[in-house]
């Protein structure tokens, strides 16, 4: 595959580099912010060799590439010169056209997407450490445990700093200032004062101290206010003094405000959100698992999953565990099972190769090749996978499965994250059964009813563009 040629064709068919405001990539997709989406030749892009499909979601024009997306992205950036347009007004105008929910999902995805790889890696490492400790292969006093635990826990402990940097970019303000605000929230001296239970005041105003390590909402709100304040300061402070005094006034105003108002209000809001999610879950974990897991991959296609990811992380922060992602984790294995069935049934060389590759990627937690390359074009396998996901989700709900201490995006390497640090219990065994049930159910249904040898399998020609107001 000539990735340089593919990148050139994509840039040309999205309307040329003049039509590109910015471009980023995730695990499998190029995500363009275009000035005018009507200029993009979607059908032409869908039919390119090396492109799985096109997803128009949350104001983004997303070209699904697969595992090789970093290579294509690098070529695209070389072609357009840096990946970001200077047309800020056009970008803001495009943002204004989005609906409220679309803006929220786009905001969450923009903040969390850049850190998802590091977050998943930290979470998986933490899960493996728990597993190795539970089986007695290592203990918490060993040097190897302490160093690897520091590596796995650092992301979550200092999350306000990392999210502050990410949020600064999303809100189009100085990301180093917002990261500094996040650092102030987790500054060791402030943590020590909180742990000691000491009183603290700022200009005679009492400060309600809290532990902001692993927190999410406080730094996002603080970054939002930073962006608003910066616009005001840039208007009133002479240009010759802006370099020093804009960051100074932001720091002096936002950091105390974060400790006095933003932080406490955000923490209470986080606790209410977690309690609300648990209240809905507790009505019937089995039904919740059946319904949510049954439609989850559809939600992922339309980008609605980003709203849930904030809930997953918030539950971990406030409760120490998250039951919602435990219901949904099996859906990756359901899609993988359906793709595996197709790979065993099909006689067509191209489809066999595609479905086999999709199966391997699915076990590693990447489902786009299975969804867009195999299951969705053939339709029935995708339906069977949704049924398998619903079965697995119901089982996970029945056993009250939970995710502990981090976040994993999917696949076999994230399984240890669902082990209770206090030891393996029926919750984890039930979770493991839910994965197997989803995989087997989707596989059997697809093998028996979801694939016909008479079906014409031309994934490169049958791809469809999914249009939505959300962001995947």
């Amino acid at each position: 595959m000539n990735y340089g040629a593919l990148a050139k064709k994509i840039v040309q068919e999205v309307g040329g580099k003049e039509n590109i405001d910015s471009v980023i990539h995730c695990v499998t997709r190029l995500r363009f912010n275009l000035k005018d989406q009507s200029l993009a030749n979607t059908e032409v892009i869908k039919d390119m060799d090396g492109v799985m499909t096109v997803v128009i979601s949350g104001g983004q024009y997303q070209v699904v590439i697969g595992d090789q997306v970093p290579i294509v992205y690098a070529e695209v950036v070389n072609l357009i010169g840096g990946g970001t347009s200077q047309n800020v007004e056009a970008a803001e105008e495009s943002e204004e056209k989005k609906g409220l929910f679309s803006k929220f999902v786009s905001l969450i995805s923009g903040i969390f997407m850049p850190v998802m790889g590091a977050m998943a890696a930290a979470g998986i490492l933490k899960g493996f450490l728990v597993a190795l400790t539970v089986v007695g292969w290592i203990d918490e006093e060993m040097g190897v445990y302490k160093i690897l635990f520091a590596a796995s826990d650092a992301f979550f402990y200092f999350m306000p700093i990392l999210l502050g940097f990410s949020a600064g970019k999303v809100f189009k303000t100085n990301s180093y200032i917002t990261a500094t605000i996040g650092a102030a929230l987790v500054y060791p001296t402030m943590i020590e004062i909180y742990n000691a239970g000491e009183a603290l005041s700022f200009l005679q105003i009492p400060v309600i101290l809290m532990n902001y390590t692993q927190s999410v909402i406080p730094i996002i709100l603080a970054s939002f206010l930073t962006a608003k304040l910066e616009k005001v300061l840039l208007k009133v402070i002479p240009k010759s003094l802006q370099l020093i005094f804009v960051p100074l006034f932001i720091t002096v105003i936002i950091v105390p405000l974060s400790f006095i108002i933003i932080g406490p209000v955000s923490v209470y809001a986080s606790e209410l959100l977690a309690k609300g999610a648990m209240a809905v879950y507790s009505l019937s974990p089995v039904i919740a698992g059946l319904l949510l897991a049954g439609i989850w991959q559809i939600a992922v296609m339309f980008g609605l999953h980003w709203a849930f990811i904030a809930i997953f992380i918030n539950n971990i922060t406030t409760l120490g565990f998250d039951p919602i992602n435990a219901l949904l984790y099996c859906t990756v294995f359901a899609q993988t099972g359906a793709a595996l069935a197709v790979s065993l049934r099909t006689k067509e060389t191209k489809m066999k190769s595609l479905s086999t590759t999709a199966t391997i990627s699915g076990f590693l937690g990447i489902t786009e090749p299975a969804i867009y390359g195999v299951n969705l074009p053939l339709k029935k396998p995708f339906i069977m996978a949704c049924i398998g996901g619903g079965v697995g989700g119901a089982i996970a709900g029945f056993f009250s499965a939970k995710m502990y201490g981090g976040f994993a995006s999917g696949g076999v390497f994230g399984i240890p994250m669902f082990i209770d640090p206090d030891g393996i219990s029926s919750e984890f065994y039930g979770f493991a059964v839910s994965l197997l049930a989803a995989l087997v159910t989707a596989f059997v249904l697809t093998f028996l009813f979801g694939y016909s040898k008479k079906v014409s399998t031309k994934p490169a020609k049958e791809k469809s563009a999914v249009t939505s107001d959300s962001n995947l």
Side-chain angles (χ1 to χ4, degrees):
M1 171 67 69
N2 187 334
Y3 295 109
L6 175 60
K8 186 175 182 180
K9 290 180 182 178
I10 292 174
V11 170
Q12 178 182 334
E13 297 303 332
V14 298
K17 65 178 183 180
E18 299 81 8
N19 194 39
I20 300 173
D21 267 325
S22 63
V23 59
I24 58 175
H25 77 89
C26 59
V27 179
T28 58
R29 307 180 184 205
L30 292 173
R31 297 168 177 266
F32 292 94
N33 285 317
L34 302 179
K35 298 174 184 176
D36 186 353
Q37 289 188 0
S38 66
L39 297 179
N41 296 318
T42 299
E43 294 303 319
V44 175
I45 297 173
K46 287 191 300 177
D47 288 338
M48 291 179 184
D49 288 335
V51 174
M52 293 183 180
T53 191
V54 172
V55 178
I56 303 171
S57 179
Q60 287 186 335
Y61 192 88
Q62 304 172 21
V63 181
V64 184
I65 302 294
D67 300 356
Q68 305 304 316
V69 69
I71 302 174
V72 181
Y73 171 77
E75 296 289 347
V76 169
V77 170
N78 286 335
L79 288 171
I80 66 177
T84 302
S85 167
Q86 297 302 316
N87 193 339
V88 177
E89 292 183 2
E92 290 180 348
E93 181 180 351
S94 175
E95 188 70 21
E96 287 297 322
K97 294 179 181 178
K98 297 181 183 179
L100 183 61
F101 182 73
S102 177
K103 288 182 180 179
F104 170 74
V105 175
S106 180
L107 169 69
I108 295 299
S109 66
I111 292 173
F112 283 99
M113 191 188 305
V115 302
M116 286 301 293
M119 182 185 297
I124 290 171
L125 178 57
K126 183 175 286 192
F128 272 111
L129 288 176
V130 170
L132 293 175
T133 303
V134 169
V135 299
W137 290 5
I138 61 175
D139 63 64
E140 297 180 0
E141 298 303 317
M142 295 175 62
V144 64
Y145 175 90
K146 292 181 178 180
I147 291 175
L148 291 180
F149 182 80
S152 66
D153 194 54
F155 178 93
F156 300 102
Y157 189 93
F158 296 109
M159 191 154 56
I161 301 176
L162 300 172
L163 292 184
F165 190 85
S166 182
K169 290 183 174 296
V170 170
F171 291 121
K172 298 180 176 62
T173 188
N174 190 320
S175 55
Y176 292 97
I177 295 178
T178 51
T180 300
I181 295 170
L185 289 174
V186 295
Y187 191 68
T189 301
M190 303 304 291
I191 301 297
E192 290 173 4
I193 295 174
Y194 166 78
N195 290 333
E198 299 177 10
L200 186 69
S201 64
F202 181 82
L203 299 177
Q204 306 303 315
I205 302 173
V207 177
I208 304 175
L209 284 176
M210 294 185 173
N211 187 343
Y212 296 108
T213 61
Q214 304 188 54
S215 63
V216 174
I217 297 179
I219 186 57
I220 293 178
L221 290 180
S223 299
F224 172 77
L225 291 179
T226 295
K228 297 298 183 182
L229 178 60
E230 183 182 46
K231 289 182 179 180
V232 174
L233 293 175
L234 289 175
K235 291 179 180 180
V236 299
I237 296 178
K239 288 187 178 181
S240 59
L241 301 177
Q242 287 178 358
L243 180 63
I244 297 175
F245 287 98
V246 169
L248 175 62
F249 282 118
I250 288 176
T251 303
V252 169
I253 295 172
I254 299 296
V255 170
L257 196 62
S258 296
F259 280 106
I260 297 170
I261 298 177
I262 299 173
V265 171
S266 300
V267 169
Y268 290 135
S270 299
E271 292 175 352
L272 287 175
L273 179 61
K275 290 178 180 178
M278 288 302 298
V280 174
Y281 168 83
S282 63
L283 292 176
S284 177
V286 174
I287 294 177
L290 178 66
L291 295 178
L292 287 177
I295 64 173
W296 182 245
Q297 289 299 332
I298 299 174
V300 170
M301 285 170 51
F302 286 93
L304 303 179
H305 66 302
W306 285 108
F308 284 84
I309 287 175
I311 296 176
F312 302 159
I313 299 173
N314 184 65
N315 284 343
I316 292 291
T317 302
T318 56
L319 303 174
F321 61 84
D322 172 59
I324 310 298
N325 199 31
L327 303 178
L328 306 173
Y329 204 81
C330 64
T331 60
V332 171
F333 291 85
Q335 294 292 336
T336 303
L340 176 60
V342 172
S343 71
L344 296 179
R345 284 294 306 274
T346 186
K347 300 299 182 183
E348 186 181 348
T349 302
K350 186 173 183 178
M351 176 55 75
K352 183 174 287 291
S353 175
L354 180 60
S355 55
T356 300
T357 302
T359 300
I360 296 172
S361 297
F363 279 118
L364 297 177
I366 301 173
T367 56
E368 274 88 350
I371 293 175
Y372 295 113
V374 181
N375 299 342
L376 198 58
L378 297 177
K379 297 180 178 64
K380 286 185 179 180
F382 184 78
I383 296 173
M384 302 308 173
C386 289
I387 295 173
V391 171
I395 293 173
F398 179 80
F399 284 96
S400 300
K402 298 180 181 67
M403 178 178 67
Y404 294 89
F407 178 82
S409 57
V412 294
F413 293 115
I415 293 176
M417 290 189 55
F418 296 83
I419 300 176
D420 190 330
D422 293 331
I424 296 178
S425 64
S426 61
E427 291 180 1
F428 178 74
Y429 291 124
F431 170 74
V433 170
S434 76
L435 304 185
L436 184 62
L439 178 72
V440 172
T441 301
F443 174 84
V444 172
L445 290 178
T446 302
F447 194 87
L448 297 179
F449 312 110
Y451 182 80
S452 172
K453 295 179 181 178
K454 297 181 180 179
V455 174
S456 175
T457 54
K458 298 179 181 179
K461 300 298 181 183
E462 295 182 13
K463 301 164 189 168
S464 59
V466 181
T467 305
S468 170
D469 290 331
S470 304
N471 186 4
L472 180 58

